[in-house]
Amino acid sequence: MRVVKDLLSNSLIRLILLFVTLFLMSVAGLNLYIDSKLPDENKIRDIDLQIPLKIFTADNKLIGEFGEKRRTALEFSSIPVHYVNAVLAAEDDDFFNHSGVSYLGLARSLYRLAISGRVQGGGSTITMQVAGNYLTSRDINIFRKIKDIFLAYRLEKTYSKEEIFEFYVNRIFFGNRAYGIAAASEVYYGASIKELNLAQWAMIASLPKAPSSINPLVNPKRALIRRNWVLGRMLELEFIHQEQYDLAVKAPLTATYHGLVSEVSAPYLAETIRRSMIQEYGLDAYKEGFEVYTTLDSKKQNTANEAIKNGLELYDKRHGFRDPENYLILFPNFFFELSLEERLYFINLDREKEPLEEVLKLLNSLNNTQSRFPALVINLNEELQVIGFDKTIYSLQWSEDLNWTRPYINENRRGPRPKGFSDILENGDLVWIQRGVSKESFSLSQIPDAQGALVSLDPKSGAVKAWVGGYDFFLSKFDRVSQSSPLLGSNFKPFLYSAALEDKFTASSLINDAPIVFEDIALEDRWRPRNASGKFYGPTRLREGLLQSRNLVSIRLLRELGVEKARAYAERFGFEKSRLPADLSLALGTASLSPLKNATAFSVFANGGKKVDSFFINKIVNRNGKIIFEKKVSQPTQVIDERAAFIIKDILQEAGRRGTAKKIIELERPDFSGKTGTTNEAESTWFTGFNDSLVTTVWVGFDQPKSLGNREFGSSIALPIWLDFIKNNLEEITLNISIPPRGIVAVKIDKTTGKRVGDDSNNSIFEYYLEENTP
């Protein structure tokens, strides 16, 4: 019997040993198999965050952000302790003690598997979540769970707990395009993670479990329950005291959506940079975390925006109120026949939905501006009632401020002054409402038809300081700074006169300002040019001809100089010869140029005859802070005689005192020069003003050329915009008093004849000459 027992005992031991051996071999084999299927845990550092493209001013203020995801990475030492504890309470309270796997959590998962018959989420440690989210896959199956377990052990051996925690919180999705805690705190609270309070940290920590269904913006009730559960867990784990818990759990949900808020509005330049980055780096530009630092000055950019906006609105109001589009026929008439009380009842209670929804659909299809929104007229009695896109009824009172609403007839005529809203509006009219300084203040307005552009740059380096491509980027994305090429009008004349000074002419050369008729084959007809004033002034010195912008003087000057010689000379400033007419109309500015190239061309006069290339990107930095591009400012090229540049600048300074640019005198600064420009029929108006520190060009016109009005000129539209911009930046613009360069001679001459006179003359002025041309 003992022998039988011994045999059985030995057989059992052998069987056990066999099973153990087979089990160990199976585990080893499974381990080898899974090990071969696992990614390299060291590659987690190589998994880049998708960080959007950001664009900044030269003084580090955000202009724009492009990319689908918002991410910013933080080091563990920068993460508040309360937030760390909130994450532990919500996800894995034993994180800093376990070796990557929670056996209790796995047991719970196995139990759910046995009960439900399918693998469910849960039971994963923070380490396993890092493995699953970034190194394996997002599928929920048993093989993935096993891979996560094995990989979690590897991660724990390779990285510190703090590094694994960083991987987790910097890459997890929090909803609303926010990836990582830094982005989440900005999106939900508009502040950095360090600026939040305990209730807010708990709210963010609760989001990764279900970033959509427990989102405080989408489902505040569920979000509040989840947040308070996290706070309760923190109390239970003794991460916080009872008093802290009591305060935090009573705190209301304060999360609101904080979309991208630009610190400086420069959308036209931002779009130009976005396109260039895509051309250079492809679609990776949206996720590689590039930071582009522009040359823009934030104050100059902000004041340029306001100057263009104010100037275009003033021009628009001068020409009256245009007939609004009427949509009454598109909606059931009874909607407008209701009394105001009935209308308010239906709108507020969402009754009679069909017409209301159609109205709202129309209004929401239109883009708002920063200060205006579209609305539909629904009542015209003593006051005006309109419905806005937000389903709100706004009431407006008539006031003297609305005297500008005289009906627009054409660019030169307006109708009689209205006495009330019913004189200019009807039910169903689509109008624009302007927000006032206070939230309760609203007034009738309209969007300007005319467009404008302003670009300002440093003439010594070419760095762009301000760039405004139109009235409102979201109404029209066409960038008039760089994409348009309007005719220059008289803004071209300084280039012509400069060519003359380097030829045989001087600033005192006489040209006859008298009627002339040309039989010009190139112009295909008789041409009778005239001055803007309609008058003729007889023999005129070139200085006077330029500062008063006399057309006939300029035409005769070009004829004597030679068209081809003037065209070749203009190329030095950056003009393309193919865009310079080969006839005498060139003298009146039938050449076309973008505002950016025009400002660059004028910088030659401000920079002593030297030309610089304009640029708007200082540097580009990658996600690691390494500079991958930095602008090397090239040496300016001497393209014209510095003496000729000085004389032109001096003449245009005088134009700012008594010529077409005489409004410059308001600045009480002697160092600014300027030239107006108005094309035929005032289809384009210009003003370019400069000193040695800043060149600024303003253009105003219509995208589809038509007359701005027979009483409109560069001096009445573009120059006031320039003045508005400069006045708001005057203190920062260095005062420059120019000294005549070597080779310049000052001679007293007779103002009428232009000839040299003695000291006893009482009709004399001093004039500058190139020394070889001294009279």
Side-chain angles (χ1 to χ4, degrees):
M1 196 64 165
R2 176 180 286 181
V3 173
V4 174
K5 286 183 179 179
D6 288 342
L7 285 172
L8 287 173
S9 177
N10 290 335
S11 297
L12 184 61
I13 291 169
R14 288 192 188 98
L15 190 59
I16 291 171
L17 288 173
L18 178 61
F19 276 116
V20 169
T21 302
L22 289 172
F23 175 75
L24 292 175
M25 288 176 67
S26 299
V27 171
L30 181 63
N31 184 50
L32 286 171
Y33 174 75
I34 292 176
D35 197 59
S36 67
K37 299 292 183 182
L38 292 177
D40 183 355
E41 69 276 9
N42 289 298
K43 288 185 177 178
I44 196 167
R45 290 197 190 277
D46 300 326
I47 300 174
D48 291 330
L49 297 175
Q50 289 190 28
I51 305 174
L53 166 67
K54 292 182 179 179
I55 301 171
F56 298 89
T57 62
D59 47 341
N60 299 331
K61 296 194 174 172
L62 183 66
I63 293 173
E65 179 180 286
F66 299 93
E68 293 182 3
K69 300 175 181 179
R70 299 180 66 181
R71 291 190 193 262
T72 307
L74 294 178
E75 294 182 357
F76 185 82
S77 58
S78 301
I79 303 171
V81 173
H82 277 312
Y83 177 74
V84 174
N85 289 335
V87 172
L88 297 180
E91 300 290 337
D92 184 2
D93 59 89
D94 199 37
F95 170 70
F96 283 99
N97 299 314
H98 62 58
S99 57
V101 177
S102 168
Y103 299 107
L104 184 60
L106 283 177
R108 284 196 298 266
S109 292
L110 289 171
Y111 175 73
R112 284 197 294 266
L113 172 61
I115 295 297
S116 65
R118 60 187 179 88
V119 179
Q120 302 181 48
S124 294
T125 63
I126 285 175
T127 312
M128 288 174 65
Q129 289 186 59
V130 169
N133 287 333
Y134 307 109
L135 293 175
T136 57
S137 70
R138 296 178 182 274
D139 298 332
I140 298 177
N141 57 56
I142 192 142
F143 186 63
R144 181 220 144 159
K145 279 281 187 182
I146 293 171
K147 286 203 300 185
D148 289 352
I149 292 168
F150 278 83
L151 198 50
Y153 285 122
R154 281 192 184 181
L155 290 173
E156 292 279 349
K157 289 179 181 178
T158 308
Y159 301 105
S160 69
K161 288 286 188 179
E162 289 76 12
E163 288 175 310
I164 294 170
F165 193 88
E166 282 178 24
F167 295 148
Y168 176 75
V169 297
N170 283 325
R171 302 174 190 226
I172 201 76
F173 180 53
F174 289 87
N176 289 294
R177 291 180 58 218
Y179 288 77
I181 52 171
S185 62
E186 291 288 346
V187 166
Y188 291 104
Y189 298 107
S192 73
I193 192 71
K194 288 185 176 180
E195 298 175 279
L196 305 188
N197 57 43
L198 178 58
Q200 293 166 335
W201 284 318
M203 185 67 257
I204 291 179
S206 70
L207 280 169
K209 180 177 177 64
S212 298
S213 61
I214 60 171
N215 193 296
L217 308 182
V218 177
N219 198 329
K221 289 183 179 179
R222 288 194 63 185
L224 188 64
I225 291 169
R226 174 69 178 172
R227 183 204 72 177
N228 290 347
W229 178 86
V230 171
L231 289 168
R233 285 283 294 146
M234 292 179 76
L235 179 64
E236 181 184 333
L237 295 166
E238 298 184 352
F239 289 152
I240 56 175
H241 302 299
Q242 184 68 47
E243 294 82 359
Q244 293 172 299
Y245 170 81
D246 291 341
L247 284 173
V249 83
K250 292 176 184 175
L253 283 181
T254 56
T256 54
Y257 180 68
H258 293 265
L260 174 67
V261 178
S262 298
E263 296 175 272
V264 175
S265 177
Y268 289 100
L269 181 58
E271 174 61 15
T272 296
I273 292 171
R274 182 195 69 81
R275 288 198 307 269
S276 69
M277 291 294 287
I278 294 299
Q279 287 178 342
E280 183 69 24
Y281 300 102
L283 293 177
D284 284 349
Y286 288 140
K287 59 185 181 182
E288 287 301 314
F290 293 122
E291 294 183 348
V292 180
Y293 291 86
T294 70
T295 58
L296 290 192
D297 176 285
S298 60
K299 182 181 178 184
K300 289 184 175 66
Q301 180 63 28
N302 287 333
T303 52
N305 287 328
E306 284 300 306
I308 283 288
K309 175 178 171 291
N310 294 338
L312 291 177
E313 289 172 5
L314 282 171
Y315 164 80
D316 198 58
K317 286 184 175 181
R318 279 203 298 274
H319 291 264
F321 186 71
R322 298 183 299 279
D323 280 341
E325 293 180 72
N326 190 277
Y327 289 89
L328 186 61
I329 197 171
L330 297 183
F331 309 114
N333 286 336
F334 71 83
F335 181 74
F336 296 101
E337 290 168 359
L338 298 174
S339 69
L340 179 61
E341 290 75 17
E342 290 173 316
R343 213 172 291 124
L344 285 170
Y345 174 79
F346 283 127
I347 288 169
N348 290 335
L349 294 185
D350 276 349
R351 299 290 295 275
E352 215 49 64
K353 280 190 173 182
E354 185 180 340
L356 175 60
E357 287 178 353
E358 288 300 309
V359 168
L360 298 178
K361 184 178 178 181
L362 166 70
L363 297 176
N364 280 287
S365 70
L366 302 169
N367 286 319
N368 296 348
T369 73
Q370 201 168 27
S371 59
R372 289 171 171 75
F373 60 89
L376 212 64
V377 175
I378 59 172
N379 190 56
L380 280 166
N381 288 322
E382 293 182 1
E383 58 181 11
L384 169 68
Q385 269 92 29
V386 298
I387 179 172
F389 65 96
D390 57 354
K391 208 171 63 174
T392 300
I393 297 285
Y394 297 90
S395 297
L396 286 76
Q397 304 293 326
W398 183 263
S399 70
E400 289 187 3
D401 291 340
L402 292 169
N403 287 340
W404 67 269
T405 58
R406 290 171 59 182
Y408 171 90
I409 297 174
N410 58 42
E411 66 272 14
N412 299 314
R413 290 182 59 211
R414 292 183 294 167
R417 183 172 293 173
K419 297 178 181 178
F421 290 112
S422 59
D423 290 344
I424 54 173
L425 294 174
E426 295 178 355
N427 277 333
D429 278 348
L430 178 67
V431 294
W432 290 85
I433 304 301
Q434 182 167 10
R435 298 179 181 90
V437 177
S438 72
K439 291 183 179 179
E440 309 303 320
S441 173
F442 300 94
S443 63
L444 181 64
S445 182
Q446 66 185 7
I447 301 294
D449 265 359
Q451 279 290 354
L454 183 155
V455 61
S456 189
L457 56 83
D458 179 344
K460 290 184 168 48
S461 67
V464 173
K465 300 299 179 182
W467 179 306
V468 183
Y471 176 73
D472 189 288
F473 178 78
F474 299 101
L475 295 176
S476 169
K477 294 179 172 57
F478 180 63
D479 186 357
R480 296 151 193 88
V481 166
S482 62
Q483 294 176 326
S484 68
S485 294
L487 300 184
L488 284 175
S490 297
N491 234 219
F492 179 78
K493 288 176 182 175
F495 308 113
L496 167 62
Y497 281 68
S498 179
L501 292 178
E502 288 204 50
D503 195 72
K504 60 186 178 183
F505 298 89
T506 70
S508 63
S509 295
L510 292 180
I511 299 288
N512 193 22
D513 185 355
I516 190 170
V517 178
F518 289 102
E519 298 281 355
D520 195 323
I521 296 174
L523 297 171
E524 300 179 354
D525 200 356
R526 288 185 177 183
W527 184 38
R528 294 181 174 84
R530 61 185 182 86
N531 292 319
S533 65
K535 299 177 182 178
F536 304 100
Y537 299 89
T540 303
R541 288 178 289 112
L542 286 196
R543 173 180 285 269
E544 201 69 16
L546 179 56
L547 70 87
Q548 298 294 352
S549 201
R550 302 270 169 79
N551 288 340
L552 293 166
V553 173
S554 301
I555 291 167
R556 281 194 166 92
L557 174 63
L558 177 59
R559 186 173 64 171
E560 290 189 36
L561 177 66
V563 172
E564 287 308 311
K565 191 177 288 185
R567 291 174 77 209
Y569 189 84
E571 286 184 278
R572 303 185 194 180
F573 295 88
F575 286 87
E576 295 176 24
K577 198 169 185 179
S578 63
R579 303 190 74 151
L580 294 167
D583 56 59
L584 293 176
S585 70
L586 179 64
L588 303 187
T590 52
S592 60
L593 209 61
S594 72
L596 177 61
K597 289 183 177 178
N598 193 34
T600 306
F602 266 88
S603 71
V604 173
F605 299 127
N607 200 23
K610 298 184 179 74
K611 183 177 183 295
V612 294
D613 295 322
S614 63
F615 68 98
F616 45 79
I617 296 178
N618 271 327
K619 65 181 179 181
I620 301 172
V621 178
N622 68 13
R623 65 169 66 232
N624 300 317
K626 180 182 178 184
I627 296 174
I628 58 174
F629 168 82
E630 189 163 21
K631 175 66 178 176
K632 299 287 190 295
V633 179
S634 56
Q635 284 294 107
T637 306
Q638 194 79 43
V639 293
I640 67 170
D641 191 320
E642 66 173 328
R643 299 172 300 168
F646 172 81
I647 293 174
I648 293 295
K649 182 170 68 173
D650 184 71
I651 294 173
L652 296 182
Q653 278 182 355
E654 190 171 354
R657 296 192 294 274
R658 65 180 188 85
T660 58
K662 61 187 177 184
K663 288 180 182 176
I664 290 180
I665 203 168
E666 294 177 22
L667 298 177
E668 300 181 351
R669 282 273 293 261
D671 58 328
F672 280 102
S673 304
K675 184 71 191 82
T676 55
T678 308
T679 63
N680 194 31
E681 302 296 328
E683 289 184 351
S684 273
T685 60
W686 294 82
F687 185 76
T688 303
F690 63 92
N691 73 350
D692 292 357
S693 302
L694 197 70
V695 176
T696 305
T697 285
V698 176
W699 169 84
V700 175
F702 293 99
D703 288 336
Q704 299 299 320
K706 64 177 182 178
S707 176
L708 287 159
N710 58 20
R711 293 186 297 275
E712 298 291 359
F713 305 92
S715 58
S716 66
I717 308 177
L719 174 51
I721 292 173
W722 180 88
L723 268 176
D724 188 8
F725 170 70
I726 294 296
K727 283 177 180 177
N728 284 296
N729 292 282
L730 195 59
E731 292 181 2
E732 288 82 25
I733 302 173
T734 306
L735 175 67
N736 306 123
I737 303 300
S738 300
I739 299 172
R742 186 174 297 176
I744 284 278
V745 177
V747 175
K748 183 179 271 192
I749 62 165
D750 184 86
K751 287 195 289 185
T752 304
T753 66
K755 296 185 180 297
R756 191 167 190 160
V757 296
D759 293 339
D760 57 344
S761 173
N762 58 4
N763 186 42
S764 61
I765 58 168
F766 279 98
E767 184 56 270
Y768 289 115
Y769 296 88
L770 276 62
E771 60 183 356
E772 62 268 29
N773 293 337
T774 305

